[in-house]
Amino acid sequence: MSIEISQETEARLAAEARKRGISVDALVARFIEHAALTPPAQPAALPVWHLGGARDLHRRDIYGDVG
């Protein structure tokens, strides 16, 4: 499999691989393994708004089209 990356990214990968003393292929494999093992971030919880009793609202309170 191959992917297209910019020359800048390729140079950064090569430099990082040299720094770690491994091949670029091994470095990319480590990145992929790490990404596969890292759980996805939890989505932010929606805020809870306590706006009073919703059962007290009627369509006329919201839209005003009911007489």
Side-chain angles (χ1 to χ4, degrees):
M1 182 172 114
S2 65
I3 58 172
E4 291 188 30
I5 57 173
S6 69
Q7 290 179 347
E8 178 185 332
T9 301
E10 186 176 355
R12 288 173 44 206
L13 283 171
E16 184 65 27
R18 271 192 308 275
K19 187 170 90 173
R20 295 182 185 210
I22 60 176
S23 70
V24 174
D25 290 337
L27 179 66
V28 172
R30 285 184 185 180
F31 286 157
I32 292 171
E33 288 172 11
H34 180 266
L37 296 175
T38 305
Q42 295 294 327
L46 295 176
V48 176
W49 295 346
H50 300 285
L51 300 176
R55 65 182 168 271
D56 297 332
L57 289 175
H58 297 281
R59 181 178 173 85
R60 67 179 167 271
D61 298 328
I62 299 170
Y63 296 106
D65 64 351
V66 177

